[in-house]
Structure formats: C-alpha cells, structure tokens
C-alpha cells in the first residue's frame, strides 16, 4: 500500500485523539468550477479556511487531491507538508485560522466532485458525494463525524447553471460568462453531509408549510431527463413526509430548504445532505415503471427525510454507531410510507426484500453486531450493509412492539431535544427510551444490538405430543422474541386466517399451546427478526394455495420463508421453482412478485445441481415466457414478467426467436417496448450469440443517451467470444477512464450468461491482481473489481490459498474476499444437496 493510501485510512483512535484537542467552529470553502466543461481539465481550485481552537501545537487536515499549493496558519506562510492524504500543521495557538489553497480532482468514480458529460446535449453536470469520508476530495477538512462546524460555501461556476449547496444563496455575483454564488452559513454539521451541485439542471419548485414554518421545495435532474421527471408525485411524497415527521418528532425541520436532486452515475440510492438530498437518477423512469418502483422511490425519499433528524440533527460520534442513523431511517422510511402515503404495502416489501438482504449478510462469517466495531474508515465503508440498515430496522420494529409506539416516539423527541446539533452514542439513545418507557433496555440491547447472527424458529412435537417452539440462535444463543403465530385453514382451495396468537419466547425450547392448522405461520405480522421455518404440513398448504392468502404481508412472509429454506439447502430448488411457477403468476403485489422472480432466477443459476441446471434454465425460461403471455395487457405484472423473461433468455437461447420478434415490434399486447426493455432484450441476444456488434450499434443509434451508452458497453462485453471476454477483463482492470457505471457494465458483460468456459482462464490472474487494485484504486472502484470479478469456480481451493497467503492484507479487502468465498461455499453446498434429477 502506498503511503498516501495508508495515511488516508483514518483510525478511530487517532480521530478521537484529534477531536479531544481540536474544537472547530467554522469552515469557509471556495470552489472554482468554471473549467468543468473542459474535459481535458482534470482539477479545480479549492480554497478552505478553517477556524478552530486547539490545546495542542500540532494536528493534521485531511485532503486528497492533485496538489496543495499553499498553507497559511494564523497569517503565517508555512511549508507545505502533504503526503497525498494529510496536510501536517504545527505551531498552533489556542485560537487558529488556517487557509489551505489546493487543486482538487474531478471524479469519475462517484467519490468527491463527480463530473458527468451528457452525450445527449453535451452539457456538463457536477455533484458531490462524500459518505463516509470523501469531503476531503473537495476541501481540506477534519474528516470525522464528531468535529461539526458551520460551513459557508462560495462557488464560482459558468453562468446559467444552477448552483446548489446545503443552504440557499445569500449573494450572487454575475460576471461575463461566470457567476459567483455565496451561500448562507449552515448550522453545525459534519463534513460528510456537506454538498455542492452545479450544472444546467432542470428544476421544478414547490412549497410546504405548517403554521408559521414555510419550506421551499426543489426537484432537479439533468435537462435531457426532465420530460421523465415525475416531480408532482415526488413533491407530494415530500409534503406527506414533512407532515408526518413534523408531527412524529415534534421538532421543526431545521435546515431551511429542501432540494432533492437526481444524479447520473451515482453510487448510492440516495444521501441525506441537509437541504440538498441527492438521489440516483435510476429513480427517474425513462420508460415504463411499476408501482413497486415508485413505492421504492417513495420509501427512499422518506428514508432520507428521516435522516434530517436521525443523522443530521443528531449524529453518531464515530462509525461504530452508524446504526443510530441508518437503522432508524430504514425503519422510519418504511413506517412513514405505510402510514402517510398511498404505498401502504411498505412493510410487506420490507419483510420480503429488505430483510432478505439482512438475513444474507447476517449469515456470513464476517457478520457483526448492529452496534459494530469500526476501527477505521475502510471498515466504515463496508458497514453500509444489510445489518446496519435492514436488520437494525427490523430490530427497531420489535423494540416498538416491546415498549409501545408512543413511548418510542416520545423517546425520539427527547433524544432530538437533548442532543440537537451534537454527537451521540448508543447509551444516549437508550437513556431517553428508558426514561420514557420505564423498561430496562440494557439487556435488550445486549441481546439484539450487541450480538450477531440470525435465529431460526420452528415448531416441533415432542415425545409426549406437546408443541415446542425451537429457537436456534447460533453462537448468540436464545434471544427474547415477541411474535404472533398465525393459524390458517384451508377452505376448499383457499387459505383463510382463523386467529393469531401472541407469545413471548426467550429460551431454546418453549412449550406452546398451538392448535393444528393447515398453515402455521410463525412471526405473523413480522414483529421479530428471525428465519421462521414452515413445517411439512404448512409447506404442503402453501405449495397448494399460497396465492389465495389475501394479505400482502402474509404472502411476503411465506415467500421469504420459502426463499430462506431454499438458500439454506432445506428446500429443494426444484420444489421452490414448482411453487413459484404455480403461484407467482397469481401474485398481485408487483413488489413481492419482482423479488420472487429475482430469487427464482438466482436459484436456477446458483443453486441448481450440475446435472439439472440446463433443464431448469429451460423450464424457468418457459415459465417466464408463458407468464408473460398470460399477464394482463399493460399491467405492472406483465412488465415484471417481461424483465424476468429477458434475464432468463440470457442463459438459454431456445426463445431467441421470440426475443427478436419483440425487438421487431411484435410484443405481447400492452407491453411497452421502450429503450430500457429493448436493451434487456438486446443484451439477452448478445449473451447467447444471437446479436452482433452491428445490431448493438443500431440499437445505440436509437438510444444515444448515457443509459444507452452504458447498456451498449454491457451488451458488447456480453458476446460469447473468448476474445471479447478477454478484452472486457483487460478493460475492467486497466482502463482507468471507465466511470463507475461503465466499469459495472464491463464487469456485468464479462460474467454474462454464466459462461465459465469463457472466464475460468482468468481465475489465477484475479487473485494476483486484487491486492494491487485495492492499493491503487479508490475503494469504490476496487470494491467493484474484487466482488464483481470473483471467480465462480467449482471449489474454494484457490480462494483458500489466497487467504492463507494474504493474512496481512487490509482488513476491508479480506472481508470482501471472505464474504465472496462464503457465498461460493454456500452455492456448492446447496448444489450438492439437490436431487440428482429435476422433479
């Protein structure tokens, strides 16, 4: 690892030491972005002036950029001592003003100041993305969450551009071809939630008011996407959210304005910068979109809005307590969606999709408690995971059931009032919740927040005929669960609810009085976090009648149970696909349907036995094709099946002619053949060798957009030719001009179709390259390479040898490789457990 990269990875201990001696009060940041449209210009001037008190004579500032040209400490010029990540300061007094003049770099990785040139109209767009620690790619700063300051941004940019930051402009100076925008000073905030965006964005304005409070709302995107921006619905959800959280938290929205901007080549779903929330433009639908996609967008809007309180107003002291914002925002986003918007199925989507993410993460050998041990920034980067988000939210849902919703929200209100604009730890939150609820939450915290792993729950009948609820908590042991058990009867072919029985369990084995029923659904209502198994009679009942269950959440829980059993090797892939084939076509909730189709496709490609995989691929392709034909014209269900068909057709070419027919315009009635659907179909043909470079070029000519160019890269790299895959491999590792999205497309093409015959020759090279890639590339791009190109081999021998020989590798890199190894181990184990032929 180079010295710059080594010093860039800040540790918890050294940042705590710095915070103990430095108190920062204000930061002024001057950025000159006038040269951004010139593609040959790689950097931009950045001047930062920091005012802080110190009781030490030396410290450092964080900055990663092209150069540092000048450092002035208390009006004295200093020699520049800069190693590529840290600017060393000494000779400090008790009160200090430090000015740093530097050149920051424009980014193509989505980290720092990302620059995007729109191929549609040639316009240039800029935006920042920092979490957890990339503000230092734009300005010199104290890059840690507990050193809050009041920030003032002063941005010079081309005339005619929208220039935005956390606060509204205070003054705008117009020049010839340029403008200088001075923004109002922020409230005290951490560096990672400061933000700047600049470019000829299209903007829609709105307003929200409550009593004497009035908030200006803005929704922005690239000009070439403006016709697809569903601003009315976005603003409606925003108003509903502000209504809900204002009432729930009894603390007025504290950030002055509420801009939301949708951005190209964005690495995350969204980011909670106060006053300027950033989103991936994947939430803007160029073509047809399902209501589930809009529900997902609404959930994300509300997730980020919850952060205005949880995370921005009150911020964790260090990344150990990342959950204090992410778990709460995940819970609140879902809760507000269900309570305040038309997307009342939010908890069903959470149970079926978000918790699947958590269950997978929590079964890896690298699992960690919700309150995690985060020794450094690299570890922090990887902890934005299914445990911190979805498991944390699921556990909070259980806490709400345990202490009561009113006590929970009153505790939150006191938490905000007591710690506004400050930093906190777990104890600060528990103090407020205990104060309100009267409950001792320390034992609950130890059981749920400070241990790892997911429990499995199932019913047994002991030798005396008594029903026993068994809890296998693994190394964590039994946890306390409050749950409901649903009893469902078969009336003809329909499953109907008889009753729900509420129980509490905290032992390995708990005797329970549960009457017989066709379907016994543990954790009905989804009150706890556990893998709930179906007994044999219940499995037979859902195999027969799953789609007759009326409640979305109940069906979501059943689908989740089936999937967990499949990926654990307890339910045969063939039987799982049999149930999907019978009941997915009748699934009315498109969010549940979409998740089920993705899981089924994954099961076919990763868990099917070697001797049956080709046949199961063919059968799955036929299931998707038949269901596409049978779906209601123009429905969300039809669109979901069309996408599943295209994905399946990438692995089996027996329906290639039907794919061509769709591309030629003869699609099933009502199916919108927009650019996105066309690219799915074209990529399927390319992957099976039924579309060549000329056909792909013709498709790009019809869609000469940023999305079209990314899709073209993916399709070209997907062609089943050894030289094509070799070129994609080389580009992924060596073409440093690839943006984050283009790198993803290249990697996706290399792996397309599961063609190990075209990729296994690169296995040894992968292991030879990853340490250098980790040290030389940004963590965002290095992570894509390490995960995306991990060999899908038929044994773990190569990865085991690498791990044995590289125990001294950076911890974050080891974590990624260990996780990929475990996914491979699971696949091999589940495949080996499958029957030898398709049932």
């Amino acid at each position: 690892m180079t010295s710059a990269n080594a010093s860039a990875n800040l540790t918890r201990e050294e940042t705590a030491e710095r915070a103990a001696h430095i108190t920062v009060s204000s930061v002024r940041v001057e950025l000159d972005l006038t040269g951004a449209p010139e593609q040959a210009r790689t950097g931009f001037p950045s001047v930062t002036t920091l005012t802080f008190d110190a009781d030490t004579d030396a410290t450092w500032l964080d900055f990663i950029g092209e150069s540092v040209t000048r450092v002035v400490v208390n009006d004295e010029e200093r020699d520049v001592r800069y190693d590529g990540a840290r600017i060393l300061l000494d000779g400090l007094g008790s009160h200090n003003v430090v000015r740093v003049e530097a050149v920051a770099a424009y980014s193509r990785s989505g980290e720092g100041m990302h620059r995007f040139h729109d191929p549609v109209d040639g316009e240039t767009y800029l935006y920042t993305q920092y979490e957890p620690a990339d503000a230092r790619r734009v300005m010199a700063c104290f890059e840690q969450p507990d050193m809050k300051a009041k920030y003032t941004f002063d941005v010079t940019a081309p005339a005619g551009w929208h220039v935005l930051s956390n606060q509204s402009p205070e003054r705008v100076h117009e020049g010839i071809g340029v403008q200088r925008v001075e923004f109002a000073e922020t409230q005290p905030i951490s560096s990672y939630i400061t933000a700047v965006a600049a470019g000829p964005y299209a903007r829609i304005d709105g307003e929200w008011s409550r009593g004497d409070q009035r908030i200006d709302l803005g929704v922005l995107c690239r000009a070439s996407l403006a016709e697809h921006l569903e601003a009315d619905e976005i603003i409606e959800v925003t108003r509903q959210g502000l209504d809900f959280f204002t009432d729930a938290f009894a603390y007025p929205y504290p950030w002055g304005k509420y801009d939301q901007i949708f951005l190209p080549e964005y690495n995350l779903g969204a980011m909670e910068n106060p006053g300027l929330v950033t989103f991936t433009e994947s939430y803007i639908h160029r073509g047809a979109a399902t209501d589930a996609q809009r529900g997902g967008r609404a959930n994300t809007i509300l997730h980020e809005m919850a952060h205005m309180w949880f995370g921005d107003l009150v911020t964790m002291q260090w990344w150990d307590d990342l959950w204090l914002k992410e778990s709460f925002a995940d819970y609140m986003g879902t809760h507000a969606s269900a309570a305040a918007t038309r997307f009342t199925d939010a908890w069903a989507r959470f149970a079926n999709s978000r918790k699947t993410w958590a269950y997978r993460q929590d079964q890896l050998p690298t699992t960690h408690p919700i309150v995690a041990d985060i020794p450094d920034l690299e570890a922090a980067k990887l902890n934005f995971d299914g445990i911190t988000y979805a498991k944390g939210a699921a556990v909070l849902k259980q806490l709400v059931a345990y202490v009561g919703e009113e006590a929970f929200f009153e505790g939150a209100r006191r938490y905000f009032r007591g710690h506004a604009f400050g930093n906190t730890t777990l104890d600060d939150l528990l103090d407020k919740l205990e104060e309100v609820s009267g409950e001792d939450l320390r034992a609950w915290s130890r059981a749920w927040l400070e241990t790892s792993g997911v429990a499995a729950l199932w019913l047994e009948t002991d030798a005396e005929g008594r029903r026993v609820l068994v809890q296998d908590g693994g190394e964590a042991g039994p946890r306390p669960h409050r749950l409901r058990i649903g009893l469902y009867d078969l009336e003809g072919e329909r499953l109907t609810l008889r009753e729900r029985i509420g129980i509490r369990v905290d032992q390995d084995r708990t005797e329970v009085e549960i009457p017989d029923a066709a379907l016994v659904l543990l954790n009905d209502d989804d009150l706890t976090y556990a893998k709930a198994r179906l007994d044999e009679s219940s499995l037979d009942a859902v195999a027969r009648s799953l789609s007759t269950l009326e409640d979305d959440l109940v069906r979501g829980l059943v689908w989740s149970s089936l999937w967990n059993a499949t990926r654990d090797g307890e339910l045969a892939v063939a039987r799982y696909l049999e149930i999907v084939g019978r009941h997915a076509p009748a699934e009315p909730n498109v969010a549940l349907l979409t998740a089920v189709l993705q899981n089924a496709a994954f099961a076919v490609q990763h868990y099917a036995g070697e001797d049956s995989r080709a046949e199961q691929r063919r059968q799955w392709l036929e299931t998707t094709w038949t269901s596409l034909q049978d779906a209601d014209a123009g429905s969300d269900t039809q669109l979901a099946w069309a996408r599943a068909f295209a994905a399946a057709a990438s692995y089996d070419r027996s329906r290639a002619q039907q794919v061509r027919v769709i591309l030629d315009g003869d699609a099933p009635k009502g199916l919108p053949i927009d650019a996105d659907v066309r690219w799915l179909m074209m990529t399927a043909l390319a992957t099976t060798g039924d579309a060549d470079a000329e056909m792909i070029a013709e498709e790009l000519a019809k869609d000469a957009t940023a999305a079209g160019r990314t899709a073209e890269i993916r399709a070209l790299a997907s062609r089943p030719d050894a030289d094509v895959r070799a070129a994609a491999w080389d580009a992924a590792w060596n073409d440093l001009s690839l943006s984050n999205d283009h790198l993803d497309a290249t990697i996706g093409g290399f792996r397309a179709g599961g063609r190990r015959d075209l990729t296994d020759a690169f296995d040894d090279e992968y292991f030879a390259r990853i340490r250098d890639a980790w040290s030389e590339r940004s963590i965002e791009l290095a992570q894509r390479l390490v995960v995306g190109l991990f060999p899908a081999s038929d044994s773990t021998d190569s990865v085991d040898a690498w791990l044995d020989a590289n125990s001294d590798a950076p911890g974050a890199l080891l974590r990624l490789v260990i996780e990929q190894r475990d996914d491979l181990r699971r696949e091999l184990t589940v495949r080996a457990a499958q029957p030898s032929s398709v049932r």
Side-chain angles (χ1 to χ4, degrees), residues 105-185:
Y106 291 115
S107 169
R108 292 290 283 140
S109 67
E111 301 156 296
M113 180 71 74
H114 190 82
R115 177 170 61 176
F116 175 82
H117 298 289
D118 192 336
V120 175
D121 53 19
E123 296 287 3
T124 299
Y125 295 89
L126 304 174
Y127 64 85
T128 59
Q129 171 55 38
Y130 297 152
E131 191 174 39
D134 287 317
R136 55 188 171 159
R137 296 181 184 273
V138 173
M139 60 186 177
C141 61
F142 295 107
E143 189 77 285
Q144 56 193 87
D146 60 341
M147 295 185 72
K148 289 187 170 184
K150 295 181 177 182
Y151 283 83
T152 301
F153 286 90
D154 185 326
V155 182
T156 304
W161 279 17
H162 284 291
V163 183
L164 305 102
S165 188
N166 302 91
Q167 289 292 298
S168 298
E170 221 170 41
R171 288 175 292 276
V172 178
H173 309 275
E174 300 285 357
I176 300 175
V178 300
Q179 58 178 321
R180 179 183 166 206
V181 183
E182 295 181 74
F183 292 91
E185 186 179 64

Side-chain angles (χ1 to χ4, degrees), residues 360-620:
R360 181 256 173 191
Q361 191 84 43
D362 215 6
Q363 293 175 87
L364 293 170
T366 56
T367 186
H368 57 84
I370 294 171
V371 180
D373 177 32
I374 305 296
D376 55 39
L377 287 180
E378 286 191 357
K381 180 74 172 179
L382 299 189
N383 255 49
F384 291 81
D385 60 16
I387 295 172
T388 300
Y389 283 73
K391 179 180 179 180
V395 167
L396 286 176
K397 186 179 182 185
Q398 188 197 52
L399 177 61
V400 173
Y402 182 65
V403 303
E405 186 170 304
E406 180 51 41
F408 177 79
F409 277 95
E410 179 57 27
R413 295 174 196 127
R414 296 187 186 188
Y415 177 71
F416 298 139
R417 290 196 298 269
H419 301 286
F421 304 108
N423 296 88
T424 59
T425 65
L426 167 64
D427 285 341
D428 296 311
L429 177 66
L430 292 182
D431 286 345
K432 298 301 182 185
L433 291 173
E434 287 181 335
E435 181 182 297
V436 172
S437 68
E439 299 278 359
D440 179 3
L441 297 179
R442 306 297 157 155
W444 175 87
S445 174
R446 287 190 295 272
W448 284 105
L449 301 181
E450 300 167 51
T451 61
S452 59
V454 55
L457 303 176
W458 67 89
L459 282 175
E460 287 182 356
T461 302
D462 67 13
E464 285 75 37
R466 294 171 299 195
R467 306 295 290 275
V468 176
L469 196 154
V470 181
Q471 175 183 183
D472 179 3
E475 294 182 5
R479 291 190 177 108
H481 298 269
R482 178 178 178 178
L483 64 149
R484 295 191 182 106
I485 298 177
L487 305 179
Y488 294 82
D489 296 320
L490 265 174
E491 297 181 357
E493 292 297 314
R494 300 190 64 81
L495 280 166
T496 60
L497 175 66
R498 181 201 308 166
E499 65 175 319
R500 291 187 174 103
I501 301 172
I503 64 171
R504 290 192 181 193
V505 296
D506 58 9
Q507 302 297 317
D508 292 325
R509 299 176 66 83
T510 303
E511 186 177 339
V512 291
E513 293 186 10
I514 303 295
D516 289 334
L519 166 60
V520 179
L521 184 60
L522 305 181
N523 197 27
D524 206 345
D525 280 350
D526 198 34
L527 295 183
T528 196
Y529 173 79
K531 294 188 297 182
R533 300 301 195 202
L534 297 172
D535 58 35
E536 278 301 319
S537 62
S538 295
L539 180 59
D540 289 341
V542 299
R544 178 178 172 183
S545 300
L546 190 163
S547 54
T548 68
L549 289 163
E550 292 184 356
D551 189 291
D552 287 348
L553 177 56
V554 172
R555 292 195 314 280
L557 291 169
V558 172
W559 282 122
S560 177
S561 182
L562 293 170
W563 176 238
N564 283 324
T566 303
R567 71 183 304 273
D568 287 348
E570 297 184 7
L571 179 64
V573 169
R575 190 170 190 198
Y576 174 70
L577 294 174
E578 205 174 87
I579 296 171
V580 171
R582 180 170 184 177
H583 294 290
E587 174 55 63
N589 185 295
V590 73
L592 299 184
L593 174 62
T594 300
V596 168
L597 297 182
Q598 291 170 346
N599 290 341
F602 192 92
V604 170
Q605 310 310 338
H606 295 270
Y607 296 150
E610 295 291 343
D611 63 339
S612 62
R613 188 176 306 131
E615 177 61 16
Q616 287 182 331
R617 283 174 172 172
R618 187 195 65 76
Q619 289 183 6
W620 177 241

Side-chain angles (χ1 to χ4, degrees), residues 621 645-664 677-693 695-696 698-699 714-721 725 752-753 755:
L621 178 63
F645 169 67
S650 295
Y651 290 87
D652 185 305
R653 63 187 302 265
S654 59
R655 288 286 180 181
Q657 179 58 34
Q658 283 72 29
V659 176
R660 290 193 197 92
V661 167
I662 290 174
L663 279 171
D664 288 340
V677 171
R678 291 188 63 83
W679 277 116
L680 290 175
M681 300 295 172
M682 179 59 68
T683 302
L685 290 179
T687 304
T688 56
D690 293 289
D692 57 19
M695 292 174 63
I696 295 168
E698 290 173 359
E699 197 62 38
R714 168 69 185 261
L716 286 171
S718 298
R719 291 171 295 159
D721 177 88
R725 299 297 176 98
R755 293 291 300 271

Side-chain angles (χ1 to χ4, degrees), residues 79-257:
D79 292 337
V80 175
R81 291 184 293 164
Y82 174 56
D83 67 0
R86 303 188 189 200
I87 303 167
L88 301 183
L89 304 175
D90 59 13
L92 298 175
S94 60
H95 181 72
N96 303 276
V97 178
V98 174
R99 178 182 171 93
V100 176
E101 299 179 11
V103 178
Y106 291 115
S107 169
R108 292 290 283 140
S109 67
E111 301 156 296
M113 180 71 74
H114 190 82
R115 177 170 61 176
F116 175 82
H117 298 289
D118 192 336
V120 175
D121 53 19
E123 296 287 3
T124 299
Y125 295 89
L126 304 174
Y127 64 85
T128 59
Q129 171 55 38
Y130 297 152
E131 191 174 39
D134 287 317
R136 55 188 171 159
R137 296 181 184 273
V138 173
M139 60 186 177
C141 61
F142 295 107
E143 189 77 285
Q144 56 193 87
D146 60 341
M147 295 185 72
K148 289 187 170 184
K150 295 181 177 182
Y151 283 83
T152 301
F153 286 90
D154 185 326
V155 182
T156 304
W161 279 17
H162 284 291
V163 183
L164 305 102
S165 188
N166 302 91
Q167 289 292 298
S168 298
E170 221 170 41
R171 288 175 292 276
V172 178
H173 309 275
E174 300 285 357
I176 300 175
V178 300
Q179 58 178 321
R180 179 183 166 206
V181 183
E182 295 181 74
F183 292 91
E185 186 179 64
T186 71
Q187 298 273 20
I189 56 176
S190 305
S191 58
Y192 77 92
I193 52 174
T194 63
V196 170
Y201 290 98
R203 179 183 181 106
I204 304 295
D205 289 308
E207 179 182 309
W208 173 84
S209 61
R210 169 69 70 85
D212 295 333
Q213 188 178 25
R214 177 184 171 278
I215 303 296
D216 289 328
L217 310 178
V219 181
L220 301 95
C221 70
R222 286 188 289 135
S224 61
L225 281 179
E227 65 180 298
H228 307 296
L229 180 64
E230 296 174 322
D232 289 345
E233 180 166 272
I234 292 167
I235 289 173
E236 179 185 15
V237 170
T238 303
R239 288 173 177 149
Q240 291 168 332
L242 287 169
D243 283 337
F244 179 84
F245 290 123
T246 297
D247 291 337
F249 296 153
Y251 192 108
Y253 173 76
W255 306 110
K257 69 179 178 74

Side-chain angles (χ1 to χ4, degrees), residues 338-359:
T341 77
R342 68 183 180 88
F343 301 105
T344 55
D345 66 338
W347 282 117
R349 287 186 277 115
F350 178 86
N352 190 242
S353 297
R354 296 295 280 185
K355 287 180 77 172
T356 295
W357 179 29
Y359 293 144

